Amino acid sequence: MRCCIGLLLLLLANGASAEEMARVYLEAFQLGSPTRRIEGWRELDPARAVAGCKALGFDCSDDPDPARAATRFLKPILVSGPYRGTAKILRRRGNSFYAAFEAPPGFRLCKAGIDRVGGSIHRGAVFAGSIQRAGGDRLGVYAAVPADGSGAIAFRLLVVMVPEARFAAAPCWPDGTLLFLCSGSTRCQVSRAFPEADLR
């Protein structure tokens, strides 16, 4: 069922308990006013999110309790001026935003991917994301639209978090990895070192 997309979030445990499992968070980032609406993860066919998880090397599966799955690793949408999404805004300078998808207590950022095919960026806008572990694990994001306020950015992302106790053994990507850099209406590149960050 489309409404139960939160289902895709309990994954990979190799027989471990729920507390020891990795988590995949469904994230969203929208800045400005897109000319076309970008569907949220909840509105997509669940197979899209499951395929994204597999691209990142995790086996996402439905939670046996759909009601719990629908809320377990989905974050509330935050709204701040022209921004709407699940990242926490850390700083704003004019039309430039610095934001972060932060790891919850007891977890560390492992990997992340961007659904660039299903996303949108207008000419003059910039959207970039990198792994940042200094001072706390997070997917750090920089986003900017032209000074006149025109243009928009809208993307869906998946962010994988692993328990601190399993971090050293997990196949996580290194600190400082630039995962994606999108600039203008046609240029959007993912990491050459980790092309699976592209959730096609």
Side-chain angles (χ1 to χ4, degrees):
M1 290 171 65
R2 302 181 107 192
C3 64
C4 295
I5 256 280
L7 40 32
L8 62 135
L9 307 291
L10 267 185
L11 46 180
L12 187 228
N14 297 339
S17 68
E19 292 75 32
E20 296 172 328
M21 295 173 120
R23 298 177 180 181
V24 173
Y25 286 88
L26 303 171
E27 306 282 11
F29 191 97
Q30 182 175 311
L31 182 61
S33 301
T35 54
R36 73 178 178 93
R37 189 175 172 281
I38 302 297
E39 290 181 306
W41 284 113
R42 290 180 197 241
E43 301 167 286
L44 294 176
D45 185 312
R48 285 286 300 279
V50 171
C53 289
K54 287 182 180 176
L56 292 173
F58 290 83
D59 180 20
C60 296
S61 57
D62 294 0
D63 189 299
D65 179 352
R68 179 180 67 178
T71 59
R72 188 150 195 174
F73 302 129
L74 289 174
K75 296 177 183 175
I77 295 291
L78 306 173
V79 178
S80 176
Y83 169 73
R84 178 181 173 82
T86 55
K88 178 181 177 183
I89 300 297
L90 303 176
R91 190 174 50 205
R92 177 181 179 181
R93 289 186 181 161
N95 289 321
S96 296
F97 288 73
Y98 297 86
F101 299 99
E102 298 180 322
F107 282 78
R108 300 196 66 186
L109 173 65
C110 185
K111 300 179 180 181
I114 182 170
D115 180 8
R116 68 185 182 96
V117 172
S120 174
I121 184 164
H122 293 170
R123 188 176 306 281
V126 176
F127 186 52
S130 64
I131 293 176
Q132 299 174 356
R133 295 202 175 100
D137 281 29
R138 64 191 184 192
L139 170 61
V141 170
Y142 169 76
V145 292
D148 64 4
S150 65
I153 299 164
F155 287 97
R156 290 181 296 267
L157 303 100
L158 290 180
V159 179
V160 180
M161 306 292 184
V162 296
E164 286 184 43
R166 295 184 59 185
F167 178 75
C172 297
W173 298 340
D175 186 18
T177 300
L178 179 63
L179 297 177
F180 55 86
L181 174 58
C182 302
S183 176
S185 58
T186 57
R187 228 175 112 224
C188 195
Q189 300 174 346
V190 297
S191 167
R192 290 181 180 170
F194 303 104
E196 54 268 54
D198 186 355
L199 303 176
R200 291 185 200 231

